Amino acid sequence: MALTKEFYRALEDIVGPRNVSDDPAVTENYRCITAQSSAHSGPYETRTPKPQAVVLPGCTEEVQQIVKLCNKYKVGFKAATTFWAAMGYIGNDNSIQLDMIRMDQVEVDAKNMIATCEPFAIGATVQVEAMKNGLNCNIAGVGCSSSTLAGSAGWVGFGPSSISMGIASENLLGVEWVLPDGEIVRTGTLGSDGEWFCGEGPGPSPRAIFRGWTGTAGSMGVCTKIAIRLHPWPGPKWIPTRGAAPMYRADGLDMVRAYTVCFPTWDAYAEGFRLFYEADVCYLAHRQFNMFGRDIKTAMVEILTHPEKQFRDLPEVMEDPYIKAQNDEMKIDVQVVVAGLTERDLDYKEKAFDAILAQIGAHKSEYYLQPDIEDFVKLYLLRLARKNYNYTLCSSYEGNFGLSPNVFVAAPLMEEASALKREWEQTHTGVAAVGGDSDMGSASGIGGGGTTGWEFFVHFDGFDRDSITDSCAFIDRTQEWMIGKGLGADMGRWNADARKPDGYDYSQEEHDALYAGLPQPALAIYPWKIREAFNPNHLTGTYMKTMTPPEVKAAQKAKKTQKK
């Protein structure tokens, strides 16, 4: 459905001719392969719809004018920044795509320990500006090249540092929010005195409607600016680095220590996490390098940290007796960063940390205590700058399982989950074998600990139909396992009810059928009521899970009967 000339000219009047395009060579690039999305499906020919135009707004006022124009002409829209997953793309043929790349400013208020961020201020930029002021920010597990605003305002947003800094919903303060109907809401102190320093008080708030726990993934208008809480940073104002790619190492981090902890059992692993939480000794905790597979991870790190080595050397490196012995000790491990604001603070945390390890029979990996390796791990975990490593073993990957309950529930199931994945890799050809258990993720899904945030990496060929189909079938299988264990949906299916496998939005009737058997219907009825109040024209996709209330269905049925 092509846009009218009148609508397109109006877009040009708002943002300027250079910042809007309906050229197929441009719009075709704003599509997503649904096999590589937040709800894994296939095959690779299946993509999200092509937008009728792509618009690059430069300020909140332009966004507001665009949204009001879309409401006037009943044209759908979706805003996105770094386009990490399918949730940022449109869901029907009569829509335009807002690319927020021109809005990239970040300002730090050191006194109030906050940063105000526009949509395209990525984690790396926000962190650099924060560190100049002795502060730091939580970077979501997606990495430092992703939008801080998107992770904080639109999606879950936990990461390695969440154990000390909290997740997105805990750090989000003020919000400048263009509603789906074009009105602007400013929350917290921003809405009362124009300052960004504090969010809402206790009780119901606009922020709860705006993002809730997981976020609405761009289906409730456009967020144009946020304020996030910053946290103390004990390191230098900038981190000097050295070395050649990919072995960058950090200097000047004298108040920061990085360890890999080796646990004897999964019970010890869970108990260790509990004690880490209670003693408040971790600045950051993440099971990172296991993403390569626990049978090969030490050899992979050895190759990454020695530029003269190549991946083809993997078999030879794995046979090295020292590497082999060290890897055997790290079957159950986690990378931990301990940081002190003062020498006394660091001394206490180190002693408490060592006491916890002694209590549960765990120890620090000797391999990771090597100065160059420790410097590499520090920089890797503090910056989360090398997400390209996720693609080392195959052209595409999808996170699945998503074991995110209490650590005492998740940890005992790890070997069973690993065995399930391993069996599939050995009996099917579409999912790449990655060297055993590939579970990785944050030690904490909320600030201070409690929930976890673990995913397994499913590596596949994103341009091979059979590989996509097989990986999709595997995630269906792990979905069955997750539900059978009472753990909820598999991570690869978290958004399966938000966008159909063909890349298009669900209709309300289809959503009603999907949620008809919900044990707690209010979970879908309440979002329906919110959407009807804030987004009456349904212009921003179906990432809100909605079900028509029974009384509304009855009224609609009665109306149809009367017409007959």
Side-chain angles (χ1 to χ4, degrees):
M1 182 176 179
L3 301 176
T4 65
K5 291 181 179 179
E6 181 182 8
F7 182 90
Y8 191 85
R9 282 196 296 269
L11 288 176
E12 289 183 322
D13 291 340
I14 295 169
V15 298
R18 288 177 57 86
N19 295 311
V20 59
S21 177
D22 60 357
D23 188 327
V26 173
T27 57
E28 183 65 36
N29 284 287
Y30 286 84
R31 303 179 73 187
C32 174
I33 300 174
T34 58
Q36 302 174 57
S37 70
S38 53
H40 183 85
S41 57
Y44 70 85
E45 297 97 333
T46 305
R47 298 173 179 262
T48 54
K50 186 169 70 172
Q52 293 300 316
V54 177
V55 189
L56 279 61
C59 62
T60 300
E61 291 71 23
E62 290 183 0
V63 172
Q64 182 183 36
Q65 292 176 54
I66 292 167
V67 171
K68 286 188 173 182
L69 185 68
C70 287
N71 275 271
K72 177 181 177 181
Y73 287 88
K74 300 298 185 291
V75 173
F77 63 92
K78 178 69 77 73
T81 52
T82 46
F83 293 89
W84 181 257
M87 62 184 70
Y89 295 80
I90 64 168
N92 63 68
D93 291 319
N94 186 37
S95 292
I96 61 172
Q97 180 77 58
L98 275 64
D99 184 340
M100 309 300 285
I101 192 170
R102 293 176 62 209
M103 299 177 65
D104 61 357
Q105 298 302 299
V106 54
E107 296 179 9
V108 172
D109 178 349
K111 178 182 178 180
N112 290 304
M113 296 176 66
I114 64 172
T116 55
C117 312
E118 290 188 333
F120 210 79
I122 62 173
T125 304
V126 177
Q127 187 184 64
V128 165
E129 296 302 317
M131 284 182 172
K132 291 177 183 177
N133 294 276
L135 300 168
N136 199 0
C137 62
N138 175 62
I139 295 180
V142 66
C144 74
S145 62
S146 65
S147 163
T148 297
L149 183 145
S152 300
W155 197 230
V156 181
F158 58 75
S161 59
S162 290
I163 191 169
S164 67
M165 300 184 196
I167 65 168
S169 57
E170 297 174 284
N171 287 311
L172 184 64
L173 298 173
V175 167
E176 183 178 75
W177 173 22
V178 180
L179 298 178
D181 63 0
E183 296 301 315
I184 296 178
V185 168
R186 297 181 175 91
T187 68
T189 48
L190 176 65
S192 56
D193 62 10
E195 297 293 334
W196 289 90
F197 65 87
C198 187
E200 295 94 344
S205 67
R207 181 172 53 178
I209 294 173
F210 171 67
R211 69 143 291 133
W213 166 246
T214 59
T216 58
S219 63
M220 280 293 282
V222 183
C223 181
T224 53
K225 189 180 290 188
I226 62 170
I228 59 168
R229 184 170 55 129
L230 299 177
H231 304 265
W233 164 239
K237 291 186 176 182
W238 65 283
I239 303 176
T241 60
R242 56 191 160 86
M247 177 45 176
Y248 295 115
R249 288 156 288 185
D251 290 321
L253 300 177
D254 299 331
M255 302 299 290
V256 180
R257 303 283 187 271
Y259 303 115
T260 289
V261 179
C262 308
F263 299 89
T265 65
W266 284 111
D267 287 342
Y269 185 89
E271 179 65 7
F273 276 30
R274 181 184 71 83
L275 294 171
F276 291 161
Y277 300 153
E278 291 186 356
D280 196 20
V281 295
C282 294
Y283 192 76
L284 181 155
H286 198 63
R287 199 176 192 220
Q288 178 63 63
F289 302 111
N290 207 66
M291 67 181 182
F292 297 124
R294 68 181 178 189
D295 297 338
I296 66 173
K297 59 188 171 187
T298 309
M300 289 293 291
V301 171
E302 181 73 4
I303 291 171
L304 291 172
T305 53
H306 291 80
E308 73 278 5
K309 292 183 170 65
Q310 300 182 43
F311 289 131
R312 68 184 181 185
D313 299 322
L314 182 62
E316 179 183 344
V317 176
M318 287 178 64
E319 290 303 314
D320 182 293
Y322 177 73
I323 297 296
K324 196 170 184 178
Q326 289 296 308
N327 196 78
D328 287 344
E329 290 185 9
M330 287 183 274
K331 295 292 186 184
I332 305 173
D333 70 342
V334 68
Q335 279 70 50
V336 171
V337 170
V338 178
L341 294 174
T342 65
E343 290 186 5
R344 187 178 178 185
D345 181 36
L346 181 60
D347 182 60
Y348 159 75
K349 288 177 178 175
E350 291 249 67
K351 289 178 179 177
F353 188 74
D354 289 341
I356 290 171
L357 300 190
Q359 181 175 331
I360 61 175
H363 67 277
K364 299 170 184 173
S365 162
E366 175 188 304
Y367 175 82
Y368 281 93
L369 289 175
Q370 298 176 80
D372 274 355
I373 303 296
E374 184 186 1
D375 288 345
F376 167 78
V377 174
K378 284 180 188 178
L379 191 60
Y380 191 111
L381 295 178
L382 288 168
R383 297 285 285 157
L384 283 187
R386 299 177 183 84
K387 298 304 288 186
N388 56 307
Y389 287 178
N390 293 7
Y391 299 93
T392 298
L393 299 177
C394 212
S395 67
S396 302
Y397 83 97
E398 183 68 67
N400 86 311
F401 283 106
L403 293 167
S404 302
N406 183 286
V407 65
F408 288 96
V409 174
L413 297 171
M414 297 290 271
E415 292 301 328
E416 187 176 341
S418 299
L420 178 62
K421 184 170 187 287
R422 189 63 169 167
E423 179 185 4
W424 192 280
E425 291 172 349
Q426 293 176 337
T427 56
H428 294 73
T429 59
V431 175
V434 294
D437 163 33
S438 61
D439 175 70
M440 58 87 68
S442 306
S444 180
I446 57 175
T451 64
T452 55
W454 300 336
E455 61 179 302
F456 286 62
F457 276 10
V458 180
H459 295 272
F460 63 99
D461 186 342
F463 296 93
D464 180 85
R465 177 191 292 269
D466 292 338
S467 183
I468 294 171
T469 301
D470 188 52
S471 57
C472 189
F474 171 66
I475 295 175
D476 285 339
R477 174 68 186 93
T478 57
Q479 165 89 330
E480 294 174 5
W481 184 86
M482 290 283 289
I483 293 174
K485 296 292 183 181
L487 300 173
D490 184 276
M491 188 176 185
R493 292 288 177 264
W494 280 1
N495 285 318
D497 53 356
R499 185 189 292 272
K500 292 187 289 188
D502 64 5
Y504 283 76
D505 289 333
Y506 279 102
S507 67
Q508 187 59 57
E509 291 74 19
E510 289 170 324
H511 258 187
D512 288 345
L514 281 172
Y515 303 134
L518 278 179
Q520 295 179 318
L523 293 174
I525 291 174
Y526 183 56
W528 183 94
K529 293 180 178 180
I530 292 174
R531 186 198 62 190
E532 292 304 297
F534 286 82
N535 188 12
N537 290 321
H538 304 178
L539 296 181
T540 51
T542 57
Y543 273 81
M544 288 192 75
K545 298 168 174 54
T546 59
M547 182 168 70
T548 309
E551 63 271 19
V552 175
K553 282 185 180 179
Q556 291 172 345
K557 185 176 180 181
K559 191 174 182 180
K560 289 180 180 179
T561 303
Q562 289 175 357
K563 285 184 177 181
K564 290 181 180 179

